[in-house]
Amino acid sequence: MRPRSKNLIKIIGVMAIGIIIVFCVNGRYNDNISKVLKDIENNNYVIKDKVLDFLGINIYNPTSILEKEISFIAMDGDIEAKKEAAWELNPFVMNEASINKESLENKDDVNTELKKNLDKSKPEVLIYHSHNQESYGDEAYSRDNSKNIVSVGNELAKNLEENYGISVIHDKTIHDELRSNAYTKSGETLDKYLSKYKDFKIIIDIHRDSGPSKASTTTKVNGEDVAKFMLVISKRRPNINKNMKLVNELINISNKLYPGFCSGTFTYGHGINGFNQDKNSNLLLVEVGTEKNTSKEAQLTGKYIARILAESINKKK
């Protein structure tokens, strides 16, 4: 280190000590001042250590630090002051009544009160994919249904049926052999099911987004990294008001259960084929994460969306 640097450190050190002297009104620090200044003059200093010494704190003696915060730990001093300080402590005691056993036992975040008997003859939810090969991680597009968007549908369907007794049709028909024609093909699949079952409580076309950073599309739910979801809306259609009532209900449930999990809505004037949303008022286009998320993060999203849908479908009247 060059002499000029040493002089600069001296100046900074003296200024630091000077500031401390100005702001300290407790007389017990005065005895340390002359010693600190003398050490600085003789170059026998480390600024951090001298400042701590001035304050009466020895980092190699943890008790000295505690003494500054809890006066009755000190080895000497006013006995009455120690007793008064002791009364200020409010130790936290855990007892059985303090433990939320439901949260500990319910680590999968399943509301068992919402579960009903599964009736496969009356499907309530239809899941399909206009863009089947949208995938995650290293493969942005894949036909592997254990990695692509279909895997999210699998997780959603599994949780709806096993945990909530909600019957699901999960259609895995490939609609994006020609991506520009995907919504036309998926619209034909949707028409087939509407013709047979007339209606569903909820219909979901599951996609993933592309472009946004992973940080903006990932959150933690119950300590797990999960992909956020977003609802895409085609605005110019006759059934928009009824559809938005369902959209807003699900967003409100999500915000209550898992704040930050839902990224809200993204609205188009019409979109490609109106995303088929004009065909049914209960149809949702859900985007789960981006290509930067992992398949596991996206699949976990399916688990938590199941809870949100169950809150809507199985809610007590």
Side-chain angles (χ1 to χ4, degrees):
M1 183 180 293
R2 290 177 293 180
R4 183 176 299 178
S5 299
K6 289 186 177 181
N7 291 335
L8 180 59
I9 291 178
K10 284 184 180 181
I11 294 171
I12 294 173
V14 172
M15 291 177 64
I17 298 303
I19 292 171
I20 293 171
I21 293 170
V22 170
F23 285 95
C24 289
V25 295
N26 192 327
R28 61 180 171 167
Y29 293 131
N30 293 338
D31 294 337
N32 293 332
I33 295 173
S34 60
K35 181 178 183 299
V36 172
L37 293 178
K38 184 176 180 180
D39 285 343
I40 291 176
E41 180 64 25
N42 294 328
N43 291 339
N44 297 322
Y45 65 87
V46 175
I47 295 299
K48 178 184 69 175
D49 291 343
K50 290 307 172 185
V51 171
L52 292 174
D53 285 345
F54 173 75
L55 295 174
I57 296 174
N58 181 355
I59 62 174
Y60 304 107
N61 178 12
T63 303
S64 69
I65 300 173
L66 293 174
E67 288 173 359
K68 293 298 176 186
E69 299 300 323
I70 309 175
S71 60
F72 73 86
I73 291 179
M75 298 304 295
D76 53 13
D78 185 71
I79 299 298
E80 291 303 317
K82 294 175 185 178
K83 291 180 179 179
E84 183 178 349
W87 282 106
E88 295 175 0
L89 286 181
N90 183 23
F92 175 76
V93 178
M94 177 68 78
N95 55 49
E96 285 293 311
S98 303
I99 302 174
N100 186 343
K101 294 183 178 179
E102 181 181 358
S103 296
L104 294 175
E105 296 169 357
N106 195 18
K107 61 182 179 180
D108 289 330
D109 202 73
V110 176
N111 185 345
T112 55
E113 293 182 359
L114 293 174
K115 188 170 184 177
K116 62 187 179 185
N117 293 328
L118 180 66
D119 184 356
K120 293 292 288 183
S121 68
K122 296 180 179 179
E124 297 178 278
V125 173
L126 171 64
I127 301 171
Y128 69 94
H129 312 276
S130 293
H131 295 153
N132 300 64
Q133 57 183 327
E134 289 179 333
S135 193
Y136 297 93
D138 296 333
E139 296 182 78
Y141 296 93
S142 173
R143 285 288 185 224
D144 185 345
N145 285 351
S146 68
K147 298 178 180 179
N148 62 22
I149 198 68
V150 176
S151 69
V152 181
N154 287 337
E155 194 68 22
L156 174 57
K158 174 185 174 183
N159 279 270
L160 285 172
E161 292 201 339
E162 292 183 0
N163 296 329
Y164 302 107
I166 297 173
S167 181
V168 179
I169 294 175
H170 183 196
D171 187 281
K172 303 173 187 179
T173 302
I174 297 173
H175 299 117
D176 59 348
E177 290 286 4
L178 182 61
R179 191 174 175 87
S180 62
N181 198 40
Y183 285 103
T184 298
K185 300 298 290 184
S186 64
E188 294 170 359
T189 295
L190 176 59
D191 288 339
K192 178 183 70 174
Y193 287 112
L194 289 175
S195 176
K196 182 176 181 178
Y197 295 102
K198 307 306 179 186
D199 202 5
F200 294 87
K201 296 287 181 64
I202 294 177
I203 302 169
I204 304 181
D205 183 6
I206 305 180
H207 295 248
R208 66 142 173 81
D209 198 0
S210 62
S213 67
K214 181 175 178 177
S216 67
T217 61
T218 309
T219 188
K220 281 191 180 295
V221 177
N222 292 337
E224 298 179 302
D225 286 333
V226 301
K228 295 182 181 181
F229 76 95
M230 178 172 64
L231 295 156
V232 177
I233 309 296
S234 171
K235 193 172 181 180
R236 292 196 217 108
R237 51 192 166 98
N239 62 353
I240 181 65
N241 290 335
K242 187 175 180 181
N243 184 236
M244 287 305 299
K245 183 178 179 181
L246 174 62
V247 167
N248 290 329
E249 178 191 9
L250 296 177
I251 290 176
N252 288 336
I253 293 171
S254 179
N255 289 342
K256 181 179 179 180
L257 292 175
Y258 317 117
F261 181 40
C262 179
S263 298
T265 62
F266 191 92
T267 303
Y268 287 83
H270 188 254
I272 302 173
N273 287 24
F275 309 128
N276 294 316
Q277 290 176 334
D278 59 326
K279 294 179 180 290
N280 191 278
S281 298
N282 295 329
L283 196 156
L284 307 170
L285 194 160
V286 178
E287 290 190 341
V288 176
T290 73
E291 76 280 6
K292 298 178 182 68
N293 285 105
T294 65
S295 295
K296 181 180 179 181
E297 290 166 347
Q299 290 161 19
L300 286 171
T301 299
K303 178 177 74 171
Y304 291 111
I305 289 179
R307 167 73 186 275
I308 294 168
L309 299 187
E311 293 280 348
S312 174
I313 295 172
N314 290 354
K315 62 188 174 185
K316 296 179 180 179
K317 303 299 182 182

